[in-house]
Amino acid sequence: MEKLGWKIKENEFLKSDVEQNGSRYLIGNGYMGYRGTLEEFGKEQLVALNMAGLFDRNGDKWRESVNAPNPFFVKAFANDTELNVLTANIDSHEQVLDISYGLHSRNTVFCVNDTKVSIKAERFLSMANENLAVIKYSVSADKDTEIKINTYLDSDVWSINGDHFEVTEQTKQDDISVLKLMTLENKIPLSLYEYINQDVENPIKIKAGETFAFVKVSGVYWGEGILNSLDTFKQVNKDYDALLKEHKSKWNEIWYNSDIEVEGDNEAQFALRYSIYHLNSIVPRNTYKCGIPARGLSGQVYKGASFWDTEMFMMPFFSFTDASLCKNLVKYRINTLAGAMRKAKEFDFDGAFYAWESQETGDDACSLFNVTDIFTKRPMRTHFKDSQIHISADVVYGLWQYCTVSGDYSLLEEGGLDMMYQCLFFFYDYAVYKPLKNRYELHSVVGPDEYHERVNNNAFTNKMVKYAVDALVSALDYAKNNMPQLYEEFLLKNDISWVDEFAQKLYIPQPNENEVIEQFDGYFKLEDIGLPEIRSRELIPHEYWGGGNGLATTTRIIKQADVVMMLNIFRSEYSKSVKKANWEFYEPYTEHGSSLSACAYGIVATEIGMADWAYKYFMKTATVDLTGDTKQYVGDLYIGGTHPAANGGSWNTAVFGFGGVSYTNEVLDITPNLPESWKSMKFKLLWKDVRLDIAINGDDVKITADKPTDNIKVTVNKKEYKF
Ligand code: BGC
């Protein structure tokens, strides 16, 4: 793979890269994502038009997101030879993704006997009209050739856990092919339309040097969106250049607000933009009915579900670049509160226990047996679903961060206050009061490090719950002063007498004499081994290190940043020496077995003067979807796809780490820490509805604002900045 400005490019076709390139060359517009496969591919090559927010369950298999029929399927034949990179003779091949506006293209020259036949295709999922999938496809040859084109909406799709729809209608209305489907479980309708601007039904004769080109515009609509969709689709101006122009102009707007320019380091610049490209491609833009899946829109891995990844890794990017997108993500959680309350009841608790793996209703898609034992092939009892309780605090964190950064508290009136209360009521019910210590503790939990299950007082979890309960106290205070009606109605429904006491008496593990915070009670007593040792104990590659008897469970080896994640989130509350002590203590034990891990180590490293490590971890998180250097299997479970949390982590490391951006409710501070190779860094931040243009040149910081700045306070190196 080559990087050229805003493009990535393959210069040859390698069968072994098909799966990886499917993720690398992904395009998306928030409504749907399309894997970077080639037009002639089918389900064996993992082609997928992955739909955001549309889920289905086949029998008793895992419920997962739906891959819709493939609108980009095209098979071309030259003198009856199929032009397929998997079977034909290839003279040259290029695959390109232009991340400046999500344009995928390929250019392949085949040798068909003594004729060179070339295929060019260019496609995009429109950012301007989220229902449209557009492709321009052309064939040319150096000798007179007969071409046949086979293109249709291919409903024979890749699906991990069984088929998800039945075809209910396949017709042609005037010049539009109509394909109607229905999902199996909830009978949700899906309609696809296809318009082709040329006759491709009959063989086409081209002369040497001539090109035959056609444009195909497909419309994809589901659920309520199918109402009048055929009429809507008919009215679309289907001119390729016009469609591309409006698509590009939307992407230009997106980049205007979210780009980061780095001078002096092309590798980092590209990786950062590539991360931002992914975040912008997968975020739902016009709805709050779905979240961002852990593998983006690159397929059905992780069941298309949203995890804590959204709040803790991706939301900072959206809250600081496009608050309306962030607001939708928070509203998605508010909208799924009922599911979270059902889950709490299922485990005999009050309040709201959010889904570890959340789909459209908020019911948990995570199973109690989420990993298959690689030795026995039996389902293994895991505790992600019932014990990873920090998710409810993460959800509160997302809401309260949105309010803090945007200065917009209106969500409290739109169910946000109820959501916060229910999450905290769950924690209050879950907590154990220890009378002799006169404190509340949280027992039998799973922290971010999933290799140690059902532990007591995981520092990260306790601290997140403390943040959440403090946020509830602040939100109640805000409502009391600014939303009296909401406050009164709230008090009529809810008892808040326990809140202050819970906030004061919740136990937060503290640094020991060496300034290290124990990850959970008893962690220090575990076997002290390093990563080479644990690897040498593996009996089978990919064996799962967690679960009841995984290799890591009796040792200090951890899957991902846990205490260090806490120090990253609560950067301003811990001293430099505590951060350093913990970073150095935990780093050798950390597998980074999750792509969520590197950014936390990167950000904290910027704060403790470990510039080389900071850069190394930044590059690790920012290049994860370029290098493909991540786990593809856990046990025998395929977990490939894109890594949006790491993409968010790369923005976070750049802005919070190198840019040195930190904030409280009152003030935004910029204390830069640029890596040596970065001459300058330029980016925009939306702070309390004022868009700041920030240019960092070494230690020099210049900020301009798009509005009067009377209502905001900004400091540079902790000194007030005069605009
Ligand atoms: C990580 C979780 C993460 C999930 C989805 C797991 O491997 O341990 O922290 O939420 O993947 O990205």
Side-chain angles (χ1 to χ4, degrees):
M1 188 198 54
E2 217 186 319
K3 286 169 231 141
L4 306 159
W6 289 72
K7 293 179 182 162
I8 52 171
K9 184 171 170 209
E10 302 296 313
N11 287 316
E12 60 180 330
F13 173 72
L14 293 175
K15 233 185 215 165
S16 52
D17 282 354
V18 166
E19 187 258 308
Q20 192 62 223
N21 285 344
S23 302
R24 247 184 220 147
Y25 287 78
L26 185 90
I27 54 174
N29 64 6
Y31 187 76
M32 50 199 174
Y34 190 81
R35 291 176 58 79
T37 47
L38 300 177
E39 287 72 21
E40 60 269 35
F41 286 175
K43 62 181 176 188
E44 292 75 20
Q45 287 74 42
L46 314 189
V47 172
L49 179 72
N50 187 244
M51 303 305 298
L54 179 60
F55 295 91
D56 184 69
R57 181 171 196 173
N58 182 328
D60 59 1
K61 299 205 184 92
W62 280 356
R63 206 163 181 272
E64 63 191 357
S65 56
V66 170
N67 287 338
N70 175 12
F72 291 135
F73 174 77
V74 184
K75 249 182 196 168
F77 298 79
N79 298 335
D80 288 329
T81 297
E82 187 182 323
L83 303 176
N84 187 332
V85 286
L86 296 166
T87 53
N89 288 328
I90 302 171
D91 182 64
S92 64
H93 174 76
E94 277 178 5
Q95 180 177 9
V96 180
L97 174 69
D98 184 339
I99 60 166
S100 62
Y101 45 93
L103 186 74
H104 179 279
S105 56
R106 62 88 64 92
N107 186 354
T108 314
V109 180
F110 294 92
C111 299
V112 179
N113 299 321
D114 57 352
T115 308
K116 289 210 168 148
V117 188
S118 125
I119 284 180
K120 285 191 186 168
E122 207 178 76
R123 67 187 190 221
F124 59 93
L125 295 176
S126 173
M127 258 308 170
N129 180 341
E130 65 180 13
N131 302 99
L132 301 185
V134 184
I135 182 167
K136 183 160 87 179
Y137 191 99
S138 62
V139 190
S140 58
D142 66 353
K143 299 206 171 59
D144 293 4
T145 306
E146 185 186 80
I147 304 294
K148 281 186 199 139
I149 300 286
N150 193 5
T151 184
Y152 48 86
L153 298 163
D154 183 10
S155 52
D156 188 19
V157 304
W158 171 47
S159 194
I160 297 181
N161 289 296
D163 293 339
H164 291 303
F165 50 74
E166 57 177 330
V167 174
T168 55
E169 186 184 322
Q170 205 161 2
T171 49
K172 184 120 191 173
Q173 296 196 18
D174 306 324
D175 53 1
I176 294 174
S177 304
V178 175
L179 178 66
K180 292 195 175 173
L181 318 146
M182 187 85 95
T183 60
L184 302 182
E185 182 192 18
N186 291 331
K187 314 281 173 232
I188 298 172
L190 193 75
S191 292
L192 280 90
Y193 310 117
E194 177 189 73
Y195 165 82
I196 301 174
N197 74 343
Q198 301 276 351
D199 175 12
V200 293
E201 306 264 295
N202 300 305
I204 301 137
K205 289 203 183 330
I206 53 172
K207 293 245 168 287
E210 245 179 37
T211 300
F212 172 75
F214 69 90
V215 171
K216 165 158 130 167
V217 181
S218 304
V220 185
Y221 303 82
W222 66 270
E224 288 164 11
I226 67 161
L227 268 182
N228 305 323
S229 55
L230 182 55
D231 288 340
T232 312
F233 181 72
K234 281 182 181 162
Q235 275 150 33
V236 166
N237 173 2
K238 302 189 184 64
D239 175 68
Y240 184 82
D241 292 335
L243 288 166
L244 184 59
K245 192 169 166 208
E246 62 183 27
H247 169 71
K248 278 187 181 178
S249 112
K250 188 70 204 171
W251 265 107
N252 284 341
E253 249 174 62
I254 292 171
W255 280 112
Y256 180 79
N257 291 328
S258 61
D259 190 22
I260 299 184
E261 284 174 68
V262 174
E263 211 189 335
D265 185 345
N266 291 340
E267 285 293 308
Q269 168 73 86
F270 188 85
L272 192 48
R273 282 195 171 134
Y274 185 75
S275 306
I276 294 172
Y277 162 76
H278 275 286
L279 291 166
N280 281 325
S281 301
I282 57 171
V283 62
R285 292 186 171 268
N286 301 311
T287 179
Y288 61 86
K289 297 280 173 70
C290 62
I292 303 181
R295 286 289 182 264
L297 298 176
S298 64
Q300 298 158 308
V301 166
Y302 285 135
K303 307 164 192 142
S306 303
F307 293 60
W308 71 311
D309 305 29
T310 308
E311 279 75 12
M312 306 309 292
F313 296 84
M314 302 178 225
M315 264 195 198
F317 167 77
F318 295 112
S319 67
F320 277 110
T321 60
D322 188 336
S324 67
L325 298 178
C326 186
K327 192 170 187 172
N328 274 345
L329 293 170
V330 180
K331 281 172 85 170
Y332 161 70
R333 292 298 195 177
I334 296 175
N335 193 46
T336 50
L337 176 62
M341 293 180 73
R342 281 194 291 275
K343 176 172 168 186
K345 283 268 165 311
E346 185 189 334
F347 291 100
D348 205 21
F349 293 108
D350 241 303
F353 183 4
Y354 270 85
W356 182 241
E357 301 182 1
S358 183
Q359 299 176 335
E360 80 283 36
T361 61
D363 291 290
D364 206 331
C366 189
S367 120
L368 290 176
F369 302 87
N370 227 37
V371 175
T372 302
D373 187 313
I374 201 161
F375 299 103
T376 62
K377 307 279 180 246
R378 293 189 183 125
M380 188 191 283
R381 177 68 161 99
T382 47
H383 292 273
F384 314 137
K385 177 177 180 180
D386 54 350
S387 306
Q388 208 151 169
I389 60 168
H390 66 80
I391 181 65
S392 282
D394 307 334
V395 165
V396 172
Y397 179 85
L399 165 66
W400 200 240
Q401 286 292 305
Y402 167 76
C403 296
T404 305
V405 174
S406 67
D408 166 21
Y409 290 79
S410 62
L411 280 179
L412 294 180
E413 289 171 308
E414 294 173 43
L417 191 60
D418 286 334
M419 179 185 96
M420 289 174 100
Y421 180 83
Q422 294 303 339
C423 287
L424 267 308
F425 201 44
F426 161 70
F427 286 120
Y428 179 58
D429 198 17
Y430 190 96
V432 177
Y433 178 68
K434 303 282 281 184
L436 301 185
K437 292 179 176 150
N438 187 24
R439 70 189 191 195
Y440 290 95
E441 299 190 354
L442 296 168
H443 291 181
S444 194
V445 308
V446 177
D449 159 32
E450 294 178 339
Y451 289 164
H452 296 92
E453 300 192 329
R454 293 199 287 169
V455 299
N456 293 350
N457 295 316
N458 166 252
F460 172 89
T461 304
N462 290 28
K463 184 78 183 154
M464 283 302 300
V465 177
K466 170 76 172 130
Y467 171 93
V469 69
D470 288 346
L472 174 64
V473 171
S474 305
L476 286 168
D477 203 42
Y478 184 91
K480 190 174 176 182
N481 295 323
N482 302 285
M483 301 164 165
Q485 199 186 337
L486 170 73
Y487 187 69
E488 272 163 38
E489 283 168 13
F490 182 84
L491 288 191
L492 287 178
K493 282 189 301 189
N494 302 299
D495 166 23
I496 57 167
S497 59
W498 53 273
V499 174
D500 284 337
E501 195 204 63
F502 186 52
Q504 279 153 24
K505 294 192 178 163
L506 179 62
Y507 166 58
I508 309 296
Q510 297 299 318
N512 67 7
E513 63 284 5
N514 300 320
E515 299 198 274
V516 179
I517 299 165
E518 191 170 34
Q519 188 176 297
F520 52 80
D521 293 352
Y523 173 86
F524 290 147
K525 295 199 198 106
L526 295 175
E527 192 190 2
D528 183 3
I529 58 164
L531 287 160
E533 171 61 25
I534 194 167
R535 290 208 172 96
S536 76
R537 293 180 186 180
E538 272 192 333
L539 297 178
I540 303 184
H542 322 304
E543 74 177 80
Y544 185 57
W545 290 2
N549 59 356
L551 281 176
T553 51
T554 53
T555 74
R556 289 183 181 179
I557 297 296
I558 62 175
K559 180 178 180 188
Q560 64 201 86
D562 194 307
V563 169
V564 172
M565 179 66 189
M566 175 184 87
L567 299 175
N568 155 40
I569 297 296
F570 301 102
R571 285 188 291 281
S572 58
E573 293 180 38
Y574 292 92
S575 70
K576 201 167 162 174
S577 69
V578 166
K579 284 183 207 157
K580 192 162 179 349
N582 284 277
W583 195 101
E584 286 173 346
F585 179 84
Y586 284 106
E587 203 270 343
Y589 298 123
T590 310
E591 183 208 7
H592 302 296
S594 158
S595 63
L596 278 54
S597 190
C599 63
Y601 277 90
I603 297 175
V604 175
T606 61
E607 305 210 322
I608 53 178
M610 299 174 86
D612 290 355
W613 282 99
Y615 188 75
K616 181 185 135 189
Y617 278 118
F618 164 73
M619 286 307 278
K620 188 172 164 71
T621 188
T623 58
V624 52
D625 288 324
L626 289 166
T627 59
D629 188 13
T630 50
K631 276 193 195 169
Q632 298 292 301
Y633 285 91
V634 169
D636 56 5
L637 183 69
Y638 170 65
I639 55 162
T642 57
H643 299 80
N647 303 151
S650 110
W651 187 91
N652 297 341
T653 313
V655 171
F656 301 143
F658 301 145
V661 170
S662 62
Y663 53 96
T664 63
N665 193 27
E666 286 74 39
V667 53
L668 180 92
D669 180 67
I670 302 166
T671 300
N673 256 314
L674 295 196
E676 224 179 303
S677 55
W678 293 24
K679 240 181 98 201
S680 71
M681 176 183 178
K682 270 165 103 182
F683 54 101
K684 293 196 176 68
L685 289 186
L686 194 57
W687 174 244
K688 311 229 185 254
D689 207 29
V690 179
R691 203 171 294 274
L692 304 172
D693 214 319
I694 300 161
I696 305 174
N697 265 291
D699 291 333
D700 181 54
V701 180
K702 286 212 165 42
I703 312 174
T704 51
D706 71 344
K707 297 201 175 92
T709 53
D710 313 341
N711 296 326
I712 60 166
K713 195 170 163 201
V714 178
T715 56
V716 170
N717 294 315
K718 311 278 185 295
K719 292 196 194 82
E720 187 159 353
Y721 186 83
K722 299 260 179 282
F723 283 91

